[in-house]
Amino acid sequence: MGKVIAIANQKGGVGKTTTSINLAASLAVAEKKVLLIDLDPQGNATSGIGISREGLSGSVYDLLIGRKGLSELVVPLEVPWLSVVPAHIDLVGAEIELVGMDGREQVLKDRLKGSIEHYDFILIDCPPSLGLLTLNALTAADSLLIPMQCEYYAMEGLAQLMNTFELVRRSLNPSLQVEGVLLTMFDGRNNLNNQVQAEIRSHFGDRVFQSTIPRNITLAEAPSHGKPAVFYDAVSKGAQAYLALAKEVLEHAAA
């Protein structure tokens, strides 16, 4: 049975999509069969992994509204072991359409039934909000991975997300766990970064990944080439950090 991980933070610009793409690719490098679902209407995970949104025969929108099944929407990549369900701007309308559906928070979970066992990991890149799309991801997921930038307002945003997490656990998905808090865009030379890291580790303990993601030019450049960092510059600090993160995620799955 595959593990479904929602990658979410309602705060934008924290490295959520970067994490989705690069963790998916790093798990694929470990020869795990991975499906990346782009649930963000901006579609940055789709373009950042090398898929043109023009001419797509379908997207995750078609999955949510029941127009197509998952197998019809999976796009295989040149990278062995890795596939994507792409997003398109029409996903903006899905949130409105979901409002009128019965069990609207569980639509994605229902659509994934029967397919999860075909993958070792399914990663869901969530939009930067706590709306119905993110609720669907949390309801469908086994765990929540939280990318978090080491900055002043980070703890405030994390508190909101954890409130939503607890709400989902109580009412929709009792088995939902925290996969971990991932510190991103970290600069060890910055005193504020170090202070925030210490506070987060003090508060969340071993739920914070040991791996931290540094500020790194490779991570910024790779999406413009439609490649995960590990296939753009495997020896870069950014690529190596995500390979280390993948190792931790694999250890969690084996525990």
Side-chain angles (χ1 to χ4, degrees):
M1 177 68 75
K3 185 172 188 179
V4 182
I5 302 175
I7 299 172
N9 190 329
Q10 78 278 13
K11 194 172 186 308
V14 298
K16 177 182 56 60
T17 296
T18 298
T19 296
S20 299
I21 292 172
N22 288 289
L23 176 57
S26 297
L27 290 168
V29 166
E31 298 189 349
K32 299 300 178 183
K33 193 172 183 183
V34 182
L35 178 65
L36 174 60
I37 298 177
D38 189 352
L39 203 62
D40 187 345
Q42 296 175 82
N44 289 334
T46 299
S47 58
I49 211 161
I51 297 174
S52 171
R53 283 171 283 183
E54 302 303 319
L56 286 173
S57 60
S59 72
V60 71
Y61 170 78
D62 298 287
L63 179 69
L64 290 172
I65 66 170
R67 185 183 293 162
K68 291 187 177 184
L70 185 72
S71 61
E72 299 174 88
L73 298 168
V74 171
V75 178
L77 301 172
E78 291 180 10
V79 180
W81 306 93
L82 179 57
S83 302
V84 178
V85 176
H88 191 273
I89 192 62
D90 56 10
L91 189 55
V92 170
E95 199 140 15
I96 299 168
E97 294 183 52
L98 285 170
V99 170
M101 294 185 183
D102 292 332
R104 59 194 178 190
E105 300 92 352
Q106 305 200 44
V107 172
L108 181 60
K109 181 178 182 179
D110 293 340
R111 302 286 190 259
L112 293 179
K113 281 179 182 173
S115 299
I116 295 174
E117 60 266 25
H118 299 308
Y119 299 94
D120 295 304
F121 291 93
I122 296 177
L123 305 185
I124 307 174
D125 183 28
C126 297
S129 73
L130 295 177
L132 264 178
L133 292 174
T134 299
L135 282 178
N136 264 266
L138 294 178
T139 303
D142 297 304
S143 63
L144 166 64
L145 191 158
I146 308 165
M148 186 171 172
Q149 191 175 352
C150 293
E151 62 171 25
Y152 182 73
Y153 293 109
M155 292 294 285
E156 185 177 302
L158 185 57
Q160 289 178 290
L161 180 57
M162 293 310 296
N163 286 339
T164 301
F165 169 83
E166 292 297 343
L167 177 65
V168 171
R169 278 227 315 184
R170 285 198 304 269
S171 57
L172 297 167
N173 185 2
S175 62
L176 183 64
Q177 302 293 320
V178 174
E179 185 71 28
V181 176
L182 176 66
L183 303 177
T184 63
M185 305 181 197
F186 180 73
D187 183 351
R189 300 166 299 178
N190 184 306
N191 287 336
L192 178 60
N193 278 200
N194 285 306
Q195 289 169 8
V196 173
Q197 175 183 218
E199 188 174 349
I200 293 168
R201 291 193 185 280
S202 173
H203 187 75
F204 286 94
D206 60 7
R207 291 202 289 183
V208 183
F209 287 105
Q210 289 303 306
S211 306
T212 59
I213 309 302
R215 287 193 178 275
N216 179 249
I217 190 64
T218 297
L219 294 176
E221 288 178 351
S224 67
H225 296 270
K227 292 181 178 181
V230 71
F231 295 107
Y232 178 67
D233 183 359
V235 299
S236 66
K237 289 183 178 179
Q240 290 298 310
Y242 277 110
L243 288 168
L245 173 65
K247 184 179 179 182
E248 287 193 65
V249 169
L250 288 169
E251 289 170 353
H252 290 183

